[in-house]
Short mmCIF file of all heavy atoms in Angstrom, two decimals:
data_model
loop_
_atom_site.label_atom_id
_atom_site.label_comp_id
_atom_site.label_asym_id
_atom_site.label_seq_id
_atom_site.Cartn_x
_atom_site.Cartn_y
_atom_site.Cartn_z
N VAL W 13 1.98 -12.46 -60.29
CA VAL W 13 1.79 -11.69 -59.05
C VAL W 13 1.39 -10.26 -59.38
O VAL W 13 0.44 -9.71 -58.80
CB VAL W 13 3.06 -11.73 -58.16
CG1 VAL W 13 2.97 -10.72 -57.04
CG2 VAL W 13 3.26 -13.13 -57.62
N LEU W 14 2.08 -9.63 -60.33
CA LEU W 14 1.74 -8.26 -60.73
C LEU W 14 0.34 -8.18 -61.32
O LEU W 14 -0.42 -7.25 -61.05
CB LEU W 14 2.77 -7.71 -61.72
CG LEU W 14 4.13 -7.37 -61.13
CD1 LEU W 14 5.11 -7.01 -62.23
CD2 LEU W 14 4.00 -6.23 -60.13
N LEU W 15 -0.03 -9.16 -62.13
CA LEU W 15 -1.37 -9.21 -62.70
C LEU W 15 -2.42 -9.34 -61.61
O LEU W 15 -3.45 -8.65 -61.61
CB LEU W 15 -1.47 -10.37 -63.70
CG LEU W 15 -2.82 -10.52 -64.42
CD1 LEU W 15 -3.12 -9.27 -65.24
CD2 LEU W 15 -2.81 -11.74 -65.30
N PHE W 16 -2.17 -10.20 -60.64
CA PHE W 16 -3.09 -10.37 -59.51
C PHE W 16 -3.26 -9.06 -58.74
O PHE W 16 -4.37 -8.66 -58.42
CB PHE W 16 -2.59 -11.47 -58.58
CG PHE W 16 -3.42 -11.64 -57.36
CD1 PHE W 16 -4.63 -12.31 -57.41
CD2 PHE W 16 -3.02 -11.10 -56.14
CE1 PHE W 16 -5.42 -12.45 -56.28
CE2 PHE W 16 -3.80 -11.23 -55.02
CZ PHE W 16 -5.00 -11.91 -55.08
N ILE W 17 -2.15 -8.38 -58.46
CA ILE W 17 -2.21 -7.11 -57.74
C ILE W 17 -2.99 -6.09 -58.55
O ILE W 17 -3.85 -5.38 -58.02
CB ILE W 17 -0.78 -6.60 -57.41
CG1 ILE W 17 -0.14 -7.52 -56.35
CG2 ILE W 17 -0.81 -5.16 -56.92
CD1 ILE W 17 1.34 -7.26 -56.13
N PHE W 18 -2.72 -5.99 -59.84
CA PHE W 18 -3.41 -5.04 -60.70
C PHE W 18 -4.92 -5.30 -60.71
O PHE W 18 -5.72 -4.38 -60.55
CB PHE W 18 -2.84 -5.10 -62.12
CG PHE W 18 -3.57 -4.23 -63.09
CD1 PHE W 18 -3.36 -2.86 -63.10
CD2 PHE W 18 -4.46 -4.77 -63.99
CE1 PHE W 18 -4.03 -2.04 -63.98
CE2 PHE W 18 -5.14 -3.96 -64.88
CZ PHE W 18 -4.93 -2.60 -64.89
N LEU W 19 -5.33 -6.55 -60.89
CA LEU W 19 -6.75 -6.89 -60.90
C LEU W 19 -7.40 -6.61 -59.55
O LEU W 19 -8.52 -6.12 -59.48
CB LEU W 19 -6.96 -8.35 -61.29
CG LEU W 19 -6.66 -8.68 -62.75
CD1 LEU W 19 -6.73 -10.19 -62.98
CD2 LEU W 19 -7.59 -7.95 -63.68
N ASN W 20 -6.69 -6.91 -58.48
CA ASN W 20 -7.21 -6.67 -57.14
C ASN W 20 -7.41 -5.18 -56.90
O ASN W 20 -8.40 -4.75 -56.33
CB ASN W 20 -6.27 -7.28 -56.10
CG ASN W 20 -6.94 -7.46 -54.77
OD1 ASN W 20 -8.16 -7.43 -54.68
ND2 ASN W 20 -6.15 -7.66 -53.74
N LEU W 21 -6.46 -4.35 -57.34
CA LEU W 21 -6.60 -2.90 -57.19
C LEU W 21 -7.79 -2.39 -57.99
O LEU W 21 -8.55 -1.55 -57.53
CB LEU W 21 -5.33 -2.19 -57.63
CG LEU W 21 -4.16 -2.21 -56.67
CD1 LEU W 21 -2.93 -1.59 -57.30
CD2 LEU W 21 -4.50 -1.49 -55.39
N ASN W 22 -7.97 -2.89 -59.21
CA ASN W 22 -9.11 -2.47 -60.02
C ASN W 22 -10.42 -2.82 -59.36
O ASN W 22 -11.36 -2.04 -59.35
CB ASN W 22 -9.04 -3.10 -61.41
CG ASN W 22 -8.10 -2.35 -62.33
OD1 ASN W 22 -7.77 -1.20 -62.07
ND2 ASN W 22 -7.68 -2.98 -63.41
N LEU W 23 -10.52 -4.02 -58.78
CA LEU W 23 -11.74 -4.41 -58.08
C LEU W 23 -11.97 -3.54 -56.86
O LEU W 23 -13.09 -3.16 -56.56
CB LEU W 23 -11.67 -5.89 -57.68
CG LEU W 23 -11.82 -6.90 -58.81
CD1 LEU W 23 -11.58 -8.32 -58.29
CD2 LEU W 23 -13.18 -6.80 -59.46
N THR W 24 -10.90 -3.21 -56.15
CA THR W 24 -11.02 -2.36 -54.97
C THR W 24 -11.57 -1.00 -55.34
O THR W 24 -12.48 -0.48 -54.72
CB THR W 24 -9.65 -2.21 -54.27
OG1 THR W 24 -9.20 -3.50 -53.89
CG2 THR W 24 -9.75 -1.32 -53.04
N PHE W 25 -11.01 -0.39 -56.40
CA PHE W 25 -11.48 0.94 -56.80
C PHE W 25 -12.88 0.87 -57.38
O PHE W 25 -13.67 1.79 -57.22
CB PHE W 25 -10.52 1.59 -57.79
CG PHE W 25 -9.23 2.02 -57.16
CD1 PHE W 25 -8.02 1.53 -57.60
CD2 PHE W 25 -9.24 2.90 -56.09
CE1 PHE W 25 -6.84 1.92 -56.99
CE2 PHE W 25 -8.05 3.30 -55.48
CZ PHE W 25 -6.86 2.80 -55.93
N ALA W 26 -13.22 -0.22 -58.06
CA ALA W 26 -14.56 -0.36 -58.64
C ALA W 26 -15.62 -0.44 -57.55
O ALA W 26 -16.75 -0.04 -57.75
CB ALA W 26 -14.61 -1.61 -59.53
N GLN W 27 -15.26 -0.95 -56.36
CA GLN W 27 -16.23 -1.10 -55.28
C GLN W 27 -16.32 0.15 -54.41
O GLN W 27 -17.18 0.24 -53.56
CB GLN W 27 -15.86 -2.29 -54.41
CG GLN W 27 -15.99 -3.61 -55.13
CD GLN W 27 -15.49 -4.77 -54.28
OE1 GLN W 27 -15.00 -4.59 -53.18
NE2 GLN W 27 -15.60 -5.96 -54.82
N GLU W 28 -15.45 1.13 -54.62
CA GLU W 28 -15.46 2.35 -53.81
C GLU W 28 -16.76 3.11 -54.07
O GLU W 28 -17.19 3.29 -55.19
CB GLU W 28 -14.26 3.21 -54.17
CG GLU W 28 -14.10 4.41 -53.29
CD GLU W 28 -13.76 4.05 -51.86
OE1 GLU W 28 -13.05 3.05 -51.64
OE2 GLU W 28 -14.21 4.75 -50.96
N ARG W 29 -17.38 3.55 -53.00
CA ARG W 29 -18.63 4.29 -53.12
C ARG W 29 -18.37 5.74 -53.50
O ARG W 29 -17.33 6.30 -53.20
CB ARG W 29 -19.39 4.25 -51.80
CG ARG W 29 -19.82 2.86 -51.41
CD ARG W 29 -20.62 2.84 -50.13
NE ARG W 29 -19.84 3.39 -49.03
CZ ARG W 29 -20.32 4.25 -48.15
NH1 ARG W 29 -21.53 4.68 -48.22
NH2 ARG W 29 -19.57 4.68 -47.17
N GLU W 30 -19.36 6.32 -54.16
CA GLU W 30 -19.29 7.73 -54.51
C GLU W 30 -19.27 8.56 -53.23
O GLU W 30 -19.97 8.27 -52.28
CB GLU W 30 -20.54 8.09 -55.32
CG GLU W 30 -20.68 9.54 -55.63
CD GLU W 30 -22.02 9.88 -56.28
OE1 GLU W 30 -22.89 9.00 -56.36
OE2 GLU W 30 -22.17 11.03 -56.68
N VAL W 31 -18.44 9.58 -53.20
CA VAL W 31 -18.39 10.48 -52.06
C VAL W 31 -19.41 11.59 -52.31
O VAL W 31 -19.25 12.39 -53.23
CB VAL W 31 -16.97 11.07 -51.87
CG1 VAL W 31 -16.96 12.07 -50.73
CG2 VAL W 31 -15.97 9.96 -51.63
N LEU W 32 -20.46 11.60 -51.51
CA LEU W 32 -21.50 12.61 -51.67
C LEU W 32 -21.11 13.89 -50.94
O LEU W 32 -20.48 13.84 -49.89
CB LEU W 32 -22.83 12.09 -51.12
CG LEU W 32 -23.46 10.94 -51.91
CD1 LEU W 32 -24.66 10.38 -51.18
CD2 LEU W 32 -23.85 11.40 -53.30
N PRO W 33 -21.51 15.03 -51.46
CA PRO W 33 -21.19 16.29 -50.79
C PRO W 33 -22.05 16.49 -49.56
O PRO W 33 -23.07 15.82 -49.38
CB PRO W 33 -21.53 17.33 -51.86
CG PRO W 33 -22.61 16.69 -52.66
CD PRO W 33 -22.27 15.22 -52.68
N LYS W 34 -21.64 17.45 -48.72
CA LYS W 34 -22.44 17.80 -47.55
C LYS W 34 -23.80 18.33 -47.98
O LYS W 34 -24.82 17.97 -47.42
CB LYS W 34 -21.70 18.84 -46.71
CG LYS W 34 -22.45 19.26 -45.48
CD LYS W 34 -21.67 20.27 -44.68
CE LYS W 34 -22.45 20.70 -43.47
NZ LYS W 34 -21.77 21.73 -42.71
N GLY W 35 -23.81 19.16 -48.99
CA GLY W 35 -25.06 19.68 -49.54
C GLY W 35 -25.65 18.69 -50.52
O GLY W 35 -25.27 17.53 -50.57
N PHE W 36 -26.56 19.16 -51.33
CA PHE W 36 -27.19 18.29 -52.32
C PHE W 36 -26.25 18.05 -53.50
O PHE W 36 -25.62 18.98 -53.99
CB PHE W 36 -28.49 18.91 -52.84
CG PHE W 36 -29.58 18.99 -51.82
CD1 PHE W 36 -29.91 20.20 -51.22
CD2 PHE W 36 -30.28 17.87 -51.44
CE1 PHE W 36 -30.91 20.28 -50.28
CE2 PHE W 36 -31.29 17.93 -50.50
CZ PHE W 36 -31.60 19.14 -49.91
N SER W 37 -26.20 16.80 -53.97
CA SER W 37 -25.45 16.50 -55.19
C SER W 37 -26.31 16.95 -56.38
O SER W 37 -27.50 17.24 -56.22
CB SER W 37 -25.17 15.00 -55.29
OG SER W 37 -26.38 14.28 -55.51
N ASP W 38 -25.72 17.02 -57.55
CA ASP W 38 -26.49 17.41 -58.74
C ASP W 38 -27.65 16.45 -58.97
O ASP W 38 -28.75 16.87 -59.33
CB ASP W 38 -25.58 17.46 -59.97
CG ASP W 38 -24.59 18.61 -59.92
OD1 ASP W 38 -24.84 19.59 -59.17
OD2 ASP W 38 -23.56 18.55 -60.61
N LYS W 39 -27.40 15.17 -58.76
CA LYS W 39 -28.46 14.17 -58.93
C LYS W 39 -29.59 14.41 -57.93
O LYS W 39 -30.77 14.33 -58.28
CB LYS W 39 -27.88 12.77 -58.75
CG LYS W 39 -28.88 11.66 -58.90
CD LYS W 39 -28.23 10.30 -58.67
CE LYS W 39 -29.29 9.21 -58.68
NZ LYS W 39 -28.75 7.92 -58.29
N GLU W 40 -29.24 14.70 -56.68
CA GLU W 40 -30.27 14.96 -55.65
C GLU W 40 -31.07 16.22 -55.97
O GLU W 40 -32.28 16.26 -55.76
CB GLU W 40 -29.62 15.07 -54.28
CG GLU W 40 -29.10 13.74 -53.77
CD GLU W 40 -28.23 13.86 -52.54
OE1 GLU W 40 -27.46 14.84 -52.42
OE2 GLU W 40 -28.32 12.96 -51.68
N LYS W 41 -30.40 17.25 -56.48
CA LYS W 41 -31.11 18.48 -56.86
C LYS W 41 -32.13 18.18 -57.95
O LYS W 41 -33.27 18.67 -57.90
CB LYS W 41 -30.12 19.54 -57.34
CG LYS W 41 -29.28 20.14 -56.24
CD LYS W 41 -28.25 21.10 -56.81
CE LYS W 41 -27.28 21.56 -55.76
NZ LYS W 41 -26.20 22.39 -56.32
N ALA W 42 -31.73 17.38 -58.94
CA ALA W 42 -32.65 17.02 -60.02
C ALA W 42 -33.83 16.21 -59.49
O ALA W 42 -34.98 16.43 -59.88
CB ALA W 42 -31.90 16.23 -61.10
N GLU W 43 -33.56 15.27 -58.57
CA GLU W 43 -34.64 14.46 -57.97
C GLU W 43 -35.61 15.33 -57.19
O GLU W 43 -36.82 15.10 -57.21
CB GLU W 43 -34.06 13.39 -57.05
CG GLU W 43 -33.39 12.25 -57.77
CD GLU W 43 -32.73 11.26 -56.82
OE1 GLU W 43 -32.65 11.53 -55.59
OE2 GLU W 43 -32.26 10.22 -57.30
N LEU W 44 -35.09 16.34 -56.49
CA LEU W 44 -35.95 17.24 -55.72
C LEU W 44 -36.92 17.99 -56.62
O LEU W 44 -38.07 18.21 -56.26
CB LEU W 44 -35.11 18.24 -54.91
CG LEU W 44 -34.49 17.69 -53.65
CD1 LEU W 44 -33.55 18.72 -53.04
CD2 LEU W 44 -35.56 17.32 -52.64
N LEU W 45 -36.43 18.41 -57.78
CA LEU W 45 -37.30 19.13 -58.70
C LEU W 45 -38.43 18.25 -59.20
O LEU W 45 -39.54 18.72 -59.42
CB LEU W 45 -36.49 19.66 -59.89
CG LEU W 45 -35.50 20.78 -59.57
CD1 LEU W 45 -34.64 21.10 -60.78
CD2 LEU W 45 -36.25 22.02 -59.09
N VAL W 46 -38.16 16.97 -59.38
CA VAL W 46 -39.16 16.05 -59.91
C VAL W 46 -40.04 15.45 -58.83
O VAL W 46 -41.27 15.47 -58.92
CB VAL W 46 -38.47 14.91 -60.71
CG1 VAL W 46 -39.47 13.88 -61.17
CG2 VAL W 46 -37.70 15.48 -61.88
N LYS W 47 -39.42 14.94 -57.76
CA LYS W 47 -40.15 14.16 -56.76
C LYS W 47 -40.33 14.85 -55.42
O LYS W 47 -41.17 14.43 -54.64
CB LYS W 47 -39.43 12.83 -56.49
CG LYS W 47 -39.29 11.92 -57.67
CD LYS W 47 -38.77 10.57 -57.25
CE LYS W 47 -37.28 10.49 -57.36
NZ LYS W 47 -36.73 9.19 -57.05
N GLY W 48 -39.52 15.80 -55.10
CA GLY W 48 -39.52 16.33 -53.74
C GLY W 48 -38.85 15.33 -52.82
O GLY W 48 -38.21 14.38 -53.26
N PHE W 49 -38.95 15.53 -51.51
CA PHE W 49 -38.33 14.61 -50.57
C PHE W 49 -39.10 13.30 -50.54
O PHE W 49 -40.32 13.27 -50.47
CB PHE W 49 -38.30 15.19 -49.15
CG PHE W 49 -37.24 16.23 -48.97
CD1 PHE W 49 -37.59 17.53 -48.66
CD2 PHE W 49 -35.91 15.92 -49.11
CE1 PHE W 49 -36.62 18.49 -48.50
CE2 PHE W 49 -34.93 16.86 -48.95
CZ PHE W 49 -35.28 18.16 -48.65
N GLN W 50 -38.38 12.19 -50.59
CA GLN W 50 -38.97 10.86 -50.54
C GLN W 50 -38.38 10.13 -49.34
O GLN W 50 -37.32 9.55 -49.43
CB GLN W 50 -38.67 10.08 -51.82
CG GLN W 50 -39.21 10.73 -53.07
CD GLN W 50 -40.71 10.74 -53.10
OE1 GLN W 50 -41.35 9.74 -52.79
NE2 GLN W 50 -41.30 11.87 -53.44
N PHE W 51 -39.06 10.19 -48.19
CA PHE W 51 -38.56 9.52 -47.01
C PHE W 51 -38.91 8.05 -47.09
O PHE W 51 -39.93 7.66 -47.63
CB PHE W 51 -39.16 10.13 -45.75
CG PHE W 51 -38.70 11.54 -45.51
CD1 PHE W 51 -39.56 12.61 -45.71
CD2 PHE W 51 -37.41 11.80 -45.11
CE1 PHE W 51 -39.13 13.90 -45.51
CE2 PHE W 51 -36.97 13.09 -44.90
CZ PHE W 51 -37.83 14.14 -45.10
N LYS W 52 -38.03 7.23 -46.51
CA LYS W 52 -38.22 5.78 -46.53
C LYS W 52 -39.49 5.38 -45.80
O LYS W 52 -40.18 4.46 -46.18
CB LYS W 52 -37.00 5.09 -45.91
CG LYS W 52 -36.89 3.63 -46.23
CD LYS W 52 -35.55 3.10 -45.80
CE LYS W 52 -35.24 1.83 -46.54
NZ LYS W 52 -33.90 1.37 -46.29
N SER W 53 -39.79 6.07 -44.73
CA SER W 53 -40.96 5.73 -43.93
C SER W 53 -41.63 7.01 -43.48
O SER W 53 -40.98 7.97 -43.11
CB SER W 53 -40.55 4.91 -42.71
OG SER W 53 -41.65 4.75 -41.85
#
Side-chain angles (χ1 to χ4, degrees):
V13 168
L14 287 173
L15 182 61
F16 176 78
I17 291 170
F18 176 76
L19 290 173
N20 199 16
L21 283 174
N22 279 342
L23 287 174
T24 301
F25 288 121
Q27 293 174 358
E28 187 67 34
R29 296 182 301 135
E30 174 187 8
V31 176
L32 292 172
K34 180 179 179 183
F36 292 105
S37 69
D38 290 339
K39 180 181 174 188
E40 290 169 323
K41 288 176 188 174
E43 287 176 352
L44 282 173
L45 291 173
V46 175
K47 299 189 267 184
F49 284 117
Q50 300 293 315
F51 293 107
K52 197 170 201 173
S53 172

